[in-house]
Amino acid sequence: MTNNNLRRVLSISATEQKLEDLYRRGIFFVPGSIEGGTALTFLVDTLTYELNESSAPIWCIIDSPGGIINQGFAIYDAIRMLADSGRVVNTVGFGEVSSMALCILQAGTKRYSFPNTQFMVHQASLFTEEEGAKEVNHLSDEVTELKRLNDIVLKVISDRCGMDMKQLMRLSKKTNLTINAQKAKEFGKNGLIDEIIITLPFLKRDG
């Protein structure tokens, strides 16, 4: 093994160890694009913590441009399942929270954001470069399903932030609605977030 490869393996091992240390403290992450496997990994990690650790709150830190809607809903449902069982599950927006990631953020018992986090609300999209053109009958079925999922995502967001569903749909249809943390806090009656923070509460030192 070359020195470079050894350094890479050691780096991966060190990162995994750091993540395990954080998981044991109830700190979990939704990083990057939400895709196949993301939800299962999140569910396994959080359930393992739920079964073996104390009753301390769980912190879910989200830095994601969104991704596959069904995978996102699996993470959303996992958070809600834990919260409905009596566990406090706080969500934290960090960096970028867009599309499906914003829906996941709404699942938190309390929703936090760092000051410079950017939020985006937009309609679900259908085409990807990898998929290319499709037959009309397949396309029609996919559009119907996409609209159904899109409506569910927007309903979750509108219910939590206290904005009328029709108004939210109008806003999201006009453009990709990008807002900062302060605007997110003021969005609708209840906001897309509850509080802007400059440090994670569990890092604060007494005195």
Side-chain angles (χ1 to χ4, degrees), residues 17-92:
Q17 183 59 53
K18 289 175 183 176
L19 286 173
E20 287 180 9
D21 290 342
L22 291 170
Y23 295 161
R24 283 196 291 270
R25 290 167 172 77
I27 305 164
F28 301 90
F29 301 88
V30 179
S33 181
I34 299 165
E35 52 192 14
T38 305
L40 182 58
T41 299
F42 181 86
L43 181 61
V44 169
D45 289 339
T46 52
L47 285 181
T48 300
Y49 177 82
E50 177 70 11
L51 293 171
N52 296 307
E53 298 295 335
S54 70
S55 59
I58 287 175
W59 293 85
C60 177
I61 300 173
I62 304 168
D63 177 17
S64 170
I68 300 173
I69 294 176
N70 287 328
Q71 287 286 317
F73 272 128
I75 297 173
Y76 176 91
D77 288 342
I79 294 174
R80 290 308 317 156
M81 176 178 62
L82 294 171
D84 290 343
S85 71
R87 170 78 69 170
V88 173
V89 187
N90 297 312
T91 50
V92 183

XYZ file of all heavy atoms in Angstrom, residues 17-92:
585
model
N -14.714 6.937 12.842
C -14.638 6.905 14.295
C -15.245 8.170 14.897
O -15.968 8.114 15.890
C -13.188 6.760 14.754
C -13.024 6.655 16.270
C -13.774 5.462 16.843
O -13.594 4.341 16.381
N -14.626 5.700 17.834
N -14.956 9.315 14.266
C -15.519 10.576 14.750
C -17.045 10.559 14.646
O -17.751 11.031 15.551
C -14.946 11.742 13.952
C -13.476 12.030 14.239
C -12.940 13.108 13.318
C -11.452 13.340 13.554
N -10.877 14.329 12.608
N -17.552 10.027 13.520
C -19.004 9.954 13.344
C -19.625 9.029 14.387
O -20.687 9.339 14.942
C -19.339 9.457 11.928
C -19.122 10.464 10.806
C -19.329 9.807 9.443
C -20.049 11.665 10.946
N -18.986 7.910 14.649
C -19.502 6.995 15.664
C -19.543 7.671 17.029
O -20.488 7.484 17.806
C -18.640 5.735 15.718
C -18.845 4.808 14.525
C -17.971 3.574 14.604
O -17.336 3.371 15.660
O -17.930 2.821 13.621
N -18.528 8.453 17.336
C -18.507 9.189 18.604
C -19.674 10.169 18.688
O -20.309 10.316 19.743
C -17.188 9.952 18.761
C -15.995 9.026 18.984
O -16.219 7.856 19.344
O -14.854 9.477 18.785
N -19.952 10.848 17.566
C -21.075 11.785 17.538
C -22.405 11.048 17.642
O -23.317 11.491 18.351
C -21.024 12.621 16.252
C -19.875 13.626 16.167
C -19.787 14.222 14.767
C -20.051 14.734 17.191
N -22.536 9.925 16.923
C -23.774 9.148 16.981
C -24.077 8.713 18.418
O -25.225 8.721 18.848
C -23.678 7.901 16.095
C -23.545 8.183 14.616
C -23.065 7.213 13.747
C -23.903 9.417 14.078
C -22.937 7.461 12.382
C -23.771 9.678 12.727
C -23.286 8.700 11.886
O -23.156 8.943 10.544
N -23.041 8.330 19.146
C -23.244 7.901 20.529
C -23.762 9.042 21.405
O -24.339 8.805 22.460
C -21.947 7.336 21.106
C -21.630 5.916 20.629
C -20.580 5.282 21.517
N -19.277 5.905 21.352
C -18.365 5.511 20.465
N -18.635 4.495 19.652
N -17.194 6.117 20.381
N -23.545 10.260 20.943
C -24.024 11.435 21.675
C -25.350 11.961 21.115
O -25.817 13.015 21.518
C -22.958 12.535 21.635
C -21.723 12.203 22.459
C -20.575 13.143 22.148
N -19.445 12.959 23.047
C -18.568 11.973 22.966
N -18.693 11.059 22.008
N -17.571 11.869 23.811
N -25.916 11.212 20.187
C -27.218 11.595 19.640
C -27.159 12.676 18.582
O -28.127 13.415 18.390
N -26.034 12.777 17.879
C -25.863 13.795 16.839
C -25.774 13.096 15.484
O -24.849 12.302 15.246
C -24.591 14.632 17.089
C -24.628 15.238 18.493
C -24.453 15.729 16.039
C -23.296 15.753 18.969
N -26.725 13.378 14.603
C -26.822 12.695 13.322
C -26.848 13.717 12.185
O -27.096 14.899 12.407
C -28.073 11.818 13.286
C -28.093 10.789 14.378
C -28.669 11.077 15.610
C -27.518 9.555 14.196
C -28.668 10.149 16.635
C -27.508 8.611 15.212
C -28.081 8.902 16.436
N -26.623 13.240 10.967
C -26.461 14.145 9.835
C -27.271 13.690 8.627
O -27.431 12.493 8.380
C -24.976 14.233 9.438
C -24.092 14.723 10.532
C -23.540 13.839 11.447
C -23.825 16.076 10.678
C -22.735 14.287 12.492
C -23.021 16.535 11.706
C -22.477 15.636 12.613
N -27.774 14.684 7.888
C -28.314 14.457 6.542
C -27.469 15.320 5.617
O -27.763 16.496 5.390
C -29.803 14.845 6.449
C -30.317 14.613 5.029
C -30.633 14.044 7.450
N -26.383 14.761 5.079
C -25.453 15.553 4.266
C -25.610 15.277 2.784
O -25.860 14.145 2.356
C -24.088 15.044 4.746
C -24.344 13.591 5.036
C -25.797 13.459 5.438
N -25.488 16.308 1.971
C -25.465 16.124 0.523
C -26.800 15.678 -0.039
O -27.847 15.772 0.610
N -26.765 15.166 -1.264
C -27.976 14.763 -1.968
C -28.639 13.570 -1.279
O -27.971 12.616 -0.877
C -27.634 14.395 -3.419
O -28.796 14.014 -4.120
N -29.960 13.651 -1.149
C -30.728 12.567 -0.535
C -31.034 11.537 -1.617
O -31.775 11.803 -2.558
C -32.031 13.116 0.077
C -31.706 14.141 1.155
C -32.874 11.984 0.649
C -32.883 14.991 1.562
N -30.460 10.347 -1.490
C -30.607 9.339 -2.539
C -30.681 7.958 -1.925
O -30.805 7.812 -0.709
C -29.427 9.439 -3.505
C -28.076 9.403 -2.836
C -26.950 9.794 -3.768
O -27.230 10.334 -4.845
O -25.787 9.534 -3.417
N -30.639 6.934 -2.766
C -30.757 5.561 -2.305
C -29.768 5.221 -1.210
O -28.577 5.460 -1.347
N -30.250 4.670 -0.127
C -29.391 4.281 0.985
C -29.285 5.320 2.076
O -29.008 4.985 3.235
N -29.499 6.592 1.750
C -29.385 7.654 2.751
C -30.378 7.441 3.887
O -30.025 7.525 5.062
C -29.637 9.032 2.111
O -28.759 9.216 1.009
C -29.415 10.143 3.121
N -31.614 7.136 3.528
C -32.666 6.991 4.535
C -32.428 5.778 5.411
O -32.602 5.833 6.633
C -34.028 6.894 3.850
N -32.021 4.657 4.802
C -31.803 3.438 5.580
C -30.666 3.631 6.573
O -30.771 3.225 7.734
C -31.490 2.265 4.647
C -31.277 0.909 5.333
C -32.515 0.520 6.148
C -30.940 -0.165 4.313
N -29.594 4.256 6.131
C -28.465 4.532 7.028
C -28.908 5.399 8.190
O -28.566 5.138 9.357
C -27.327 5.230 6.266
O -26.873 4.378 5.215
C -26.169 5.557 7.190
N -29.675 6.437 7.901
C -30.165 7.335 8.949
C -31.048 6.574 9.931
O -30.923 6.733 11.154
C -30.949 8.487 8.320
C -31.468 9.489 9.315
C -30.672 10.531 9.743
C -32.763 9.384 9.814
C -31.143 11.455 10.674
C -33.239 10.295 10.737
C -32.433 11.334 11.162
N -31.938 5.741 9.420
C -32.857 4.996 10.278
C -32.099 4.016 11.174
O -32.362 3.932 12.374
C -33.880 4.244 9.428
C -34.939 3.439 10.199
C -35.765 4.362 11.086
C -35.831 2.678 9.232
N -31.147 3.294 10.597
C -30.357 2.347 11.386
C -29.600 3.068 12.497
O -29.596 2.632 13.655
C -29.374 1.570 10.477
C -28.365 0.789 11.325
C -30.134 0.623 9.559
N -28.964 4.182 12.148
C -28.173 4.929 13.143
C -29.049 5.452 14.275
O -28.703 5.342 15.456
C -27.445 6.087 12.469
C -26.313 5.625 11.573
O -25.829 4.493 11.761
O -25.916 6.391 10.672
N -30.185 6.052 13.920
C -31.033 6.655 14.957
C -31.719 5.592 15.806
O -31.854 5.764 17.023
C -32.090 7.588 14.346
O -32.822 6.899 13.315
C -31.445 8.838 13.767
N -32.156 4.493 15.201
C -32.797 3.435 15.980
C -31.803 2.757 16.914
O -32.148 2.389 18.043
C -33.438 2.402 15.049
C -34.733 2.835 14.366
C -35.271 1.704 13.496
C -35.794 3.259 15.379
N -30.573 2.585 16.445
C -29.539 2.016 17.306
C -29.341 2.891 18.536
O -29.235 2.407 19.669
C -28.206 1.875 16.546
O -28.397 1.014 15.422
C -27.123 1.292 17.442
N -29.292 4.191 18.320
C -29.154 5.132 19.440
C -30.379 5.051 20.349
O -30.262 5.007 21.570
C -28.991 6.549 18.906
C -28.906 7.598 20.000
C -27.702 7.841 20.657
C -30.029 8.334 20.371
C -27.623 8.787 21.668
C -29.956 9.278 21.380
C -28.756 9.501 22.016
O -28.680 10.435 23.014
N -31.558 5.013 19.742
C -32.803 5.005 20.512
C -32.870 3.774 21.410
O -33.333 3.848 22.556
C -33.993 5.016 19.550
C -35.362 4.928 20.215
C -35.726 6.187 20.979
O -35.030 7.209 20.838
O -36.702 6.139 21.732
N -32.395 2.650 20.934
C -32.499 1.405 21.694
C -31.430 1.266 22.775
O -31.627 0.539 23.746
C -32.409 0.213 20.734
C -33.587 0.053 19.758
C -33.276 -1.026 18.734
C -34.870 -0.290 20.520
N -30.305 1.955 22.605
C -29.163 1.704 23.488
C -28.741 2.873 24.363
O -27.949 2.677 25.286
C -27.947 1.269 22.658
C -28.198 -0.056 21.964
O -28.575 -1.035 22.591
N -28.011 -0.083 20.665
N -29.236 4.071 24.088
C -28.701 5.230 24.794
C -29.709 5.856 25.750
O -30.804 5.359 25.941
C -28.216 6.275 23.769
C -27.092 5.768 22.870
C -25.804 5.458 23.636
O -25.604 6.038 24.710
O -25.025 4.632 23.158
N -29.322 6.979 26.317
C -30.143 7.681 27.305
C -31.319 8.381 26.634
O -31.527 8.273 25.433
C -29.282 8.716 28.029
O -28.966 9.770 27.144
N -32.056 9.127 27.431
C -33.220 9.850 26.917
C -32.867 11.255 26.454
O -33.750 12.088 26.267
C -34.303 9.930 27.998
O -33.805 10.594 29.143
N -31.580 11.532 26.275
C -31.158 12.863 25.828
C -31.700 13.168 24.435
O -31.951 12.261 23.637
C -29.630 12.947 25.811
N -31.881 14.452 24.103
C -32.392 14.816 22.778
C -31.477 14.357 21.649
O -30.261 14.238 21.820
C -32.447 16.353 22.830
C -32.504 16.685 24.283
C -31.708 15.621 24.973
N -32.086 14.077 20.517
C -31.353 13.787 19.285
C -31.239 15.087 18.493
O -32.178 15.894 18.455
C -32.081 12.713 18.448
C -31.924 11.330 19.105
C -31.576 12.676 17.008
C -32.694 10.230 18.420
N -30.089 15.277 17.866
C -29.865 16.437 17.015
C -29.601 15.960 15.596
O -28.697 15.156 15.367
C -28.687 17.261 17.529
C -28.987 17.897 18.847
C -28.858 17.337 20.080
C -29.510 19.209 19.048
N -29.258 18.221 21.047
C -29.659 19.382 20.445
C -29.853 20.251 18.189
C -30.146 20.558 21.001
C -30.333 21.432 18.740
C -30.481 21.574 20.127
N -30.394 16.438 14.662
C -30.255 16.062 13.254
C -29.800 17.297 12.476
O -30.571 18.247 12.300
C -31.578 15.542 12.723
S -31.546 15.128 10.968
N -28.567 17.284 12.007
C -27.986 18.430 11.311
C -28.095 18.212 9.809
O -27.601 17.217 9.276
C -26.521 18.629 11.736
C -26.473 18.884 13.251
C -25.886 19.795 10.983
C -25.084 18.943 13.839
N -28.752 19.147 9.115
C -29.094 18.984 7.704
C -28.344 19.998 6.854
O -28.450 21.203 7.063
C -30.618 19.159 7.496
C -31.390 18.172 8.387
C -30.989 18.979 6.028
C -32.873 18.469 8.474
N -27.580 19.501 5.895
C -26.903 20.337 4.902
C -27.082 19.647 3.566
O -26.282 18.789 3.182
C -25.419 20.493 5.251
C -24.641 21.284 4.209
O -25.282 21.979 3.385
O -23.404 21.205 4.198
N -28.161 19.972 2.862
C -28.537 19.175 1.702
C -29.297 20.002 0.661
O -30.135 20.828 1.019
C -29.427 18.005 2.153
O -29.998 17.334 1.050
N -29.037 19.744 -0.639
C -29.800 20.394 -1.699
C -31.111 19.683 -2.007
O -31.820 20.039 -2.943
C -28.849 20.304 -2.896
C -28.130 19.010 -2.677
C -27.938 18.933 -1.173
N -31.438 18.653 -1.215
C -32.628 17.855 -1.499
C -32.252 16.582 -2.235
O -31.121 16.128 -2.171
N -33.220 16.004 -2.927
C -32.945 14.760 -3.638
C -34.219 13.988 -3.912
O -35.270 14.576 -4.186
N -34.139 12.677 -3.804
C -35.273 11.804 -4.116
C -36.358 11.965 -3.042
O -36.090 11.809 -1.845
C -34.814 10.341 -4.202
C -33.753 10.185 -5.298
C -36.002 9.416 -4.473
C -33.112 8.820 -5.346
N -37.565 12.266 -3.481
C -38.639 12.584 -2.543
C -38.955 11.411 -1.617
O -39.089 11.585 -0.403
C -39.908 13.032 -3.302
C -39.640 14.356 -4.029
C -41.086 13.188 -2.343
C -40.805 14.835 -4.875
N -39.084 10.200 -2.158
C -39.431 9.060 -1.313
C -38.360 8.763 -0.271
O -38.674 8.379 0.855
C -39.677 7.821 -2.182
C -40.996 7.901 -2.935
O -41.957 8.480 -2.443
N -41.049 7.340 -4.127
N -37.088 8.922 -0.645
C -36.013 8.752 0.328
C -36.111 9.826 1.413
O -35.896 9.553 2.599
C -34.654 8.849 -0.370
C -34.298 7.654 -1.224
C -33.913 6.454 -0.379
O -33.180 6.582 0.592
N -34.429 5.291 -0.732
N -36.440 11.033 1.003
C -36.604 12.115 1.963
C -37.736 11.851 2.937
O -37.612 12.106 4.141
N -38.840 11.318 2.433
C -39.964 11.016 3.312
C -39.630 9.897 4.292
O -40.161 9.852 5.411
C -41.209 10.655 2.510
C -42.047 11.847 2.143
C -42.426 12.078 0.836
C -42.447 12.751 3.113
C -43.178 13.178 0.497
C -43.214 13.859 2.785
C -43.577 14.076 1.479
N -38.756 8.977 3.898
C -38.329 7.923 4.821
C -37.594 8.534 6.010
O -37.788 8.122 7.158
C -37.444 6.912 4.090
N -36.741 9.535 5.747
C -36.037 10.215 6.832
C -37.027 11.032 7.661
O -36.977 11.031 8.897
C -34.927 11.116 6.272
C -33.869 10.275 5.545
C -34.265 11.936 7.386
C -32.818 11.081 4.817
N -37.925 11.747 6.989
C -38.958 12.525 7.680
C -39.770 11.618 8.614
O -39.994 11.948 9.792
C -39.878 13.187 6.648
C -41.047 13.941 7.246
C -40.929 15.291 7.560
C -42.262 13.301 7.498
C -42.006 15.989 8.121
C -43.332 13.981 8.057
C -43.197 15.324 8.362
O -44.266 15.999 8.923
N -40.199 10.463 8.099
C -41.004 9.538 8.903
C -40.206 8.971 10.073
O -40.762 8.745 11.153
C -41.523 8.389 8.027
C -42.615 8.835 7.067
O -43.208 9.902 7.290
O -42.874 8.103 6.084
N -38.901 8.740 9.865
C -38.064 8.227 10.953
C -37.990 9.245 12.088
O -38.093 8.883 13.269
C -36.662 7.910 10.428
N -37.825 10.517 11.739
C -37.772 11.569 12.759
C -39.106 11.675 13.495
O -39.157 11.763 14.719
C -37.386 12.918 12.135
C -35.952 12.865 11.599
C -37.530 14.057 13.152
C -35.532 14.103 10.834
N -40.199 11.650 12.722
C -41.514 11.759 13.345
C -41.799 10.556 14.247
O -42.410 10.687 15.309
C -42.615 11.865 12.266
C -42.621 13.162 11.490
C -42.633 14.390 12.363
N -43.557 14.283 13.487
C -43.436 14.973 14.617
N -42.423 15.808 14.774
N -44.324 14.836 15.579
N -41.373 9.365 13.826
C -41.580 8.167 14.629
C -40.892 8.305 15.983
O -41.475 7.993 17.033
C -41.046 6.944 13.893
C -41.119 5.647 14.687
S -40.518 4.235 13.750
C -38.810 4.719 13.470
N -39.644 8.793 15.955
C -38.908 8.983 17.208
C -39.563 10.067 18.065
O -39.704 9.917 19.289
C -37.462 9.353 16.905
C -36.619 8.262 16.224
C -35.284 8.839 15.781
C -36.416 7.082 17.157
N -39.967 11.174 17.420
C -40.598 12.274 18.150
C -41.932 11.846 18.755
O -42.252 12.191 19.899
C -40.789 13.473 17.227
N -42.703 11.070 17.998
C -44.012 10.636 18.483
C -43.890 9.614 19.614
O -44.845 9.389 20.365
C -44.835 10.046 17.338
C -45.278 11.107 16.338
O -45.234 12.299 16.691
O -45.647 10.746 15.201
N -42.720 8.983 19.735
C -42.497 8.028 20.822
C -42.072 8.733 22.112
O -41.882 8.098 23.139
C -41.426 7.003 20.418
O -40.138 7.600 20.380
N -41.932 10.054 22.032
C -41.566 10.826 23.215
C -40.155 11.371 23.204
O -39.772 12.138 24.084
N -39.370 10.981 22.212
C -37.994 11.482 22.099
C -37.998 12.892 21.519
O -38.718 13.174 20.571
C -37.189 10.558 21.194
C -35.820 11.067 20.792
C -34.820 10.907 21.893
N -34.513 9.501 22.138
C -33.535 9.082 22.925
N -32.780 9.958 23.550
N -33.329 7.795 23.124
N -37.188 13.794 22.078
C -37.000 15.116 21.493
C -35.997 14.984 20.342
O -34.872 14.526 20.550
C -36.481 16.123 22.530
C -36.132 17.456 21.866
C -37.536 16.340 23.623
N -36.424 15.351 19.141
C -35.554 15.295 17.963
C -35.493 16.687 17.352
O -36.447 17.137 16.713
C -36.054 14.283 16.907
C -35.019 14.147 15.780
C -36.329 12.926 17.526
N -34.401 17.395 17.567
C -34.242 18.739 17.023
C -33.562 18.680 15.662
O -32.618 17.909 15.465
C -33.396 19.587 17.978
C -34.066 19.763 19.331
O -35.234 20.093 19.408
N -33.326 19.517 20.398
N -34.035 19.484 14.725
C -33.400 19.578 13.417
C -32.675 20.921 13.306
O -33.135 21.935 13.834
C -34.434 19.439 12.282
O -35.537 20.335 12.517
C -34.956 18.013 12.195
N -31.538 20.904 12.596
C -30.702 22.097 12.478
C -30.317 22.299 11.016
O -29.703 21.423 10.395
C -29.410 21.956 13.319
C -28.596 23.245 13.242
C -29.724 21.601 14.764
